[in-house]
Amino acid sequence: MDKVIRSQAWGGPQTLTFRQFRYFIAVAEAESVSRAAQEIGISQSAITAAVQALELEIGATLFVRHQKGVRLTHEGHQLLRHARSIMAAVADARRAVSVRPEEVSGELNLGVTRMVSGYYLADLLARFSRVFRQVRVRVVEEERSYLEHLLVNGELDVGLLLVSNLGDRQALETELLVRSPWRVWLPARHRLLDSSVLTLAEVAAEGVIMLTMDELAETTSRYWAEAGLRPRIVLKTSSVEAVRSLVGTGVGIATLPDMAYRPWSLEGDRLEARHLSDPVPSVDVGLVWRRGAPLSTTAWHFIEMCREYSPRQSTQRL
DNA sequence: ACTTGACGGTTACGTCGGAC
DNA sequence: GTCCGACGTAACCGTCAAGT
């Protein structure tokens, strides 16, 4: 039976259900009602009804419907964050009852790269600390190569980083959590917004802002070279917020992993994102630990929590 | 034990717009 | 014009809990 959250916002006996949030997240991630229905294993119309009921209940349009599927609106993006928090809270509640977290103590030494700490760490750490109150967490934010060194030496229990460029796969065990495709970020009313899918060649013809965080500059330079294109780089920055602001104000456009996309900048300028038709390899976020070494109990619980975490943002979770 | 109503599901069909 | 794939709607069915 669904968990029912009573709402008095519009006067009537409206309800928000766990099921509605689950379907909403599935549609947002699949960017298609039909695909979401296939993934969940129910009919498309059941999803449509649940999403419509949610939109009615929330009092906002959550998706823009179009020929190839659906796309989140600004309000939809905002609700998605809350919906994921709700799902995470339910998972945590289940864990709090089933694993007796008060009996888990000790230390968790965690290594992260900047991109990961910016987008996944705060939420994961908050959840972990809320459930496992007896565990002291020590976080090291470093370059990927140095984290690998610390993991191999046993100075870190587990790493959460971009595994696409991982060096030492012999000594390290990896588990892919999130696969984030590249997207083109554009300011509102940009002429390229007429297309739902863009090519690298179209992007190269514009002024491009390049993000240099976490080896992304090397990655992007590689795919530009493989496509035989030389984009006009307007600016390089290691700050995602700077990229958002610069795109928002129309200084240039950018290609970035979908995980970093937010539909507005710090200044409140609107940003849009479009798919790339070129076969550019995704940016993969995953867990890394030393191969052959026994995992500590704290590390094991952290890995279990990460496995449940599903911030897919139309990415693929494996 | 039976009835009732709410809820979530399916099936069938409709509409729309892009591709050919 | 036709086909195809997208989402939406209507009618109906099965399940379950509460009431009698």
Side-chain angles (χ1 to χ4, degrees), chain A residues 73-101:
Chain A
T73 61
H74 180 70
E75 292 78 9
H77 271 286
Q78 288 182 305
L79 185 70
L80 183 59
R81 284 179 47 234
H82 292 287
R84 287 192 172 121
S85 297
I86 290 165
M87 302 301 277
V90 171
D92 291 347
R94 187 178 292 140
R95 188 194 326 279
V97 172
S98 63
V99 305
R100 303 181 72 83

Side-chain angles (χ1 to χ4, degrees), chain A residues 1-119:
Chain A
M1 188 53 113
D2 273 334
K3 294 162 182 65
V4 173
I5 304 159
R6 296 264 164 209
S7 160
Q8 298 300 316
W10 291 277
Q14 297 97 345
T15 55
L16 290 173
T17 68
F18 188 67
R19 184 185 61 89
Q20 287 169 348
F21 283 113
R22 190 162 77 90
Y23 292 179
F24 165 64
I25 292 170
V27 173
E29 290 172 349
E31 294 187 320
S32 155
V33 175
S34 304
R35 279 196 297 277
Q38 281 176 356
E39 284 180 17
I40 293 174
I42 63 166
S43 74
Q44 166 260 314
S45 55
I47 301 261
T48 297
V51 170
Q52 284 177 341
L54 183 61
E55 286 181 318
L56 190 67
E57 180 66 17
I58 296 289
T61 303
L62 302 173
F63 294 102
V64 175
R65 278 77 169 170
H66 56 92
Q67 252 55 55
K68 303 286 181 186
V70 298
R71 193 167 59 240
L72 280 170
T73 61
H74 180 70
E75 292 78 9
H77 271 286
Q78 288 182 305
L79 185 70
L80 183 59
R81 284 179 47 234
H82 292 287
R84 287 192 172 121
S85 297
I86 290 165
M87 302 301 277
V90 171
D92 291 347
R94 187 178 292 140
R95 188 194 326 279
V97 172
S98 63
V99 305
R100 303 181 72 83
E102 68 278 5
E103 292 175 7
V104 180
S105 62
E107 200 170 67
L108 173 68
N109 295 294
L110 176 66
V112 293
T113 51
R114 277 187 68 196
M115 195 81 184
V116 171
S117 69
Y119 291 97

